[in-house]
Amino acid sequence: MATLQLLRGAEMLKQGAEGRVYRAEFLGKPAVIKQRFPKRYRHPELDEKLTHRRTMQEVRSIARCRRAGISTPVVYFVDYSCSCIFLEEIVDSQTVRDFIASARRSSSRSDQELQRLAELTGRILAKMHDEDVIHGDLTTSNMLLRRSADSSELELVLIDFGLSYISALAEDKGVDLYVLEKAFLSTHPNTEPLFQQLLGSYSASSKKSSAVIKKLEEVRLRGRKRSMVG
Amino acid sequence: MGAPLVTVAIVARTVAQLWGKPLLGVNHCIGHIEMGRLITKANNPTVLYVSGGNTQVIAYSQRRYRIFGETIDIAVGNCLDRFARVIKISNDPSPGYNIEQLAKRGKRYVELPYTVKGMDVSFSGILSYIEEAANKMLSADQCTPEDLCFSLQETVFAMLVEITERAMAHCGSQEVLIVGGVGCNLRLQEMMGVMCQERGAKLFATNERFCIDNGAMIAQAGWEMFRSGQVTQLEDSWITQRYRTDEVEVTWRD
Ligand SMILES: Nc1ncnc2c1ncn2[C@@H]1O[C@H](COP(=O)(O)OP(=O)(O)OP(=O)(O)O)[C@@H](O)[C@H]1O
Ligand SMILES: [Mg+2]
């Protein structure tokens, strides 16, 4: 109840597909509250199950990633009664999506910066998969970039783990990359070489990458072989 | 499907030469989208294309209809048709229509596998679950055929609405257009409408006259192509069953 009261006065940052993201403070620290409100379009039983499962998965996978040294927001507090997660706000960050879009618009920022980003992303996804975390919704909107305080190095922060789960199967990891590939190439037209670079870095960083890339190719082929009739 | 396509291509080439008319090769899905835009006046919608053979979430950018999400195995219409066969629902006039009518009388919600991967979906898990469990549940009187139709629709349509909403959030879109045969389902339209209302977006849908495959939609897409200066040379005309939506350069939009 207290959480919902807090939301009433808070500034809404974004209405995503899963829920609403508000700006807040938690014990004096900048925070965001992600609220999964009931979706009236779906059956109440289904809605409750999905909402509960996703809130739980988000918290779990974030913890697992952080333990492995993968940057994700800290979970400050969870209120299951209203499916609200209090997360560290990644201040002064932008989505990878906006970063790529603006880098491609401006000529001053070099291709080199994009290449470094692709390399970094591949490396971090490989690390996440080595922990058997399947993100489930990899897009360039679900990755934030910030410059670390001490240097000008870019830091990649993964967010939005509601569809995540734990699996060691190469098939699941391959599909995770396939989902990213489609989202990446449709959001950022004509970036095939950049995505190739990301995959290259993924392959070089992960011990188990060859089976995953093979699955990725298989899933792609299934898509291409499917008849487009009807 | 190959044989009918070959036949129609021959007819089209013949007619074009007989009457001295320009020939235009049209992508089937683009036909659905352009007909939907014409009829509903949707300007720049996120498109959900759902039929027996296809399940895609599409948005326009930089001269292409880009596929943001799709099924990673079977199409939603295919899943519905095969379910109908499992519990012996009639084909007349179509399995999808009969499922929709039966679903209206369903009361109990039976939980089924729900598989969404980002903006992609998978229906093969639901189908194999149903193939395995449906007739057992029916003969044990745990549920009625109506309950199964209801539960299947609630589950697969929720998945479709979810990936459409995710694509809208990702693209910053405030319009949805539903096309393709499954798009005539009123329950799907109703659910999509509720989602749109919740985000202050607008839903555009058509009835079965335009949702289901029709010749006019091919003509409309061809007309748009022709107006932007395209024609297909006779020797360059071909047919294929694997023509992806994003292969077409959209020369008629900015
Ligand atoms: N910890 C954070 N710090 C700063 N900004 C954030 C944070 N978490 C989320 N955001 C912003 O809010 C947006 C939506 O967040 P998130 O992806 O978690 O929500 P969602 O509703 O699950 O989205 P989706 O539409 O992908 O399902 C992000 O793209 C980002 O811009
Ligand atoms: Mg998100």
Side-chain angles (χ1 to χ4, degrees), chain A residues 137 141-142 160:
Chain A
D137 188 13
S141 311
N142 287 336
D160 198 359

Side-chain angles (χ1 to χ4, degrees), chain A residues 128-166:
Chain A
M128 180 184 80
H129 280 175
D130 278 346
E131 292 298 318
D132 293 340
V133 175
I134 311 299
H135 184 282
D137 188 13
L138 287 175
T139 63
T140 49
S141 311
N142 287 336
M143 302 170 185
L144 302 180
L145 268 183
R146 71 173 161 201
R147 304 216 176 252
S148 48
D150 46 334
S151 71
S152 65
E153 275 301 288
L154 285 174
E155 187 192 0
L156 187 78
V157 184
L158 298 179
I159 62 167
D160 198 359
F161 283 83
L163 298 181
S164 68
Y165 57 99
I166 305 300

Side-chain angles (χ1 to χ4, degrees), chain A residues 13-14 16-19 21 32 34 36 58 73 87-90 93 95 137 141-142 144 159-160, chain B residues 166 169:
Chain A
L13 284 176
K14 199 125 193 174
E18 284 284 303
V21 177
V32 300
K34 180 165 171 176
R36 290 189 160 84
E58 178 142 39
L87 294 158
E88 166 195 8
E89 181 182 4
I90 309 301
S93 64
T95 62
D137 188 13
S141 311
N142 287 336
L144 302 180
I159 62 167
D160 198 359
Chain B
R166 188 157 290 122

Side-chain angles (χ1 to χ4, degrees), chain A residues 199-219:
Chain A
L199 287 182
S201 153
Y202 177 95
S203 300
S205 320
S206 165
K207 294 154 258 169
K208 307 163 197 158
S209 64
S210 65
V212 176
I213 299 291
K214 224 175 102 199
K215 282 292 174 189
L216 167 65
E217 279 159 8
E218 252 179 65
V219 182

Side-chain angles (χ1 to χ4, degrees), chain A residues 18 97 136 141 187 225 228 230, chain B residues 51 118 120 166 170 241-242:
Chain A
E18 284 284 303
R97 184 204 155 127
S141 311
T187 310
K225 272 207 244 155
M228 291 288 133
Chain B
S51 64
D120 289 342
R166 188 157 290 122
H170 183 72
Q241 297 181 58
R242 301 185 220 299

